[in-house]
Amino acid sequence: MSKHETAPPTGPDPADVGLRFLGVAHEVRTAVDHHMAAAGLSLARTKLLRLLARRGALHQAELAEALGQAPRSVTQAVEALERLRLVTRTPDPVDRRRKTVTLTEQGQAALAAGEQAGTRILRRIFGALDARQLRRLEELLTHAAEATRQSDTR
């Protein structure tokens, strides 16, 4: 082998493992969303309500930015949540085009139910691993997250 040739890879191809990871992550996300929706609140709606619960009332533009979503998508989600009485929207006193979104008591209850359903399914899925496997998975995910932040993919 010349000095310009590379040795054939040993072990699994990182791209194949990455694709497998993406597939498993999608399956887990789908399972969590399904269980949360069965409890009355989808994963996407739970994220929005959780943000309001943590940060308090926000303008729709602030919600969109914090969620990394298009303002129109957030407006549609907020309108749906308002119809369900999980949030209220009030006009900004200075700029009436801006709407402030506030979590209602009913929204707080829905959020709690959705989070409980999500926690149950995640514990069921990852509870199949023993403590050593969970620690190792946590380490591997930490390394993958660090590699993601250091890459030029974003």
Side-chain angles (χ1 to χ4, degrees):
M1 181 181 303
S2 75
K3 66 179 183 177
H4 298 292
E5 293 180 68
T6 59
T10 58
D13 177 6
D16 291 340
V17 173
L19 289 172
R20 175 94 190 273
F21 170 79
L22 291 174
V24 171
H26 177 74
E27 289 177 29
V28 170
R29 182 180 179 85
T30 300
V32 169
D33 188 48
H34 174 77
H35 282 81
M36 291 177 89
L41 204 59
S42 70
L43 181 57
R45 287 179 174 183
T46 298
K47 285 181 181 181
L48 194 152
L49 295 182
R50 185 180 297 136
L51 184 60
L52 290 171
R54 287 185 183 148
R55 294 184 46 190
L58 295 170
H59 291 111
Q60 286 182 186
E62 293 170 323
L63 277 171
E65 184 179 330
L67 294 168
Q69 296 180 359
R72 184 68 190 141
S73 297
V74 171
T75 297
Q76 291 172 340
V78 168
E79 287 171 349
L81 292 169
E82 186 178 38
R83 282 191 298 275
L84 296 170
R85 297 189 173 112
L86 303 181
V87 300
T88 58
R89 289 187 307 163
T90 55
D92 185 278
V94 176
D95 182 353
R96 304 209 44 89
R97 293 172 296 166
R98 286 178 58 142
K99 304 289 185 199
T100 301
V101 183
T102 306
L103 186 64
T104 64
E105 285 186 30
Q106 196 170 337
Q108 290 172 345
L111 175 60
E115 287 180 326
Q116 287 173 358
T119 297
R120 276 193 304 274
I121 188 62
L122 287 170
R123 284 188 174 146
R124 187 179 320 155
I125 292 167
F126 291 98
L129 304 175
D130 64 32
R132 183 186 59 77
Q133 291 169 322
L134 278 172
R135 278 192 298 278
R136 184 67 182 138
L137 177 58
E138 186 174 34
E139 291 170 8
L140 293 170
L141 291 172
T142 299
H143 290 297
E146 288 170 3
T148 300
R149 285 189 288 275
Q150 294 172 2
S151 74
D152 294 332
T153 60
R154 288 187 170 201

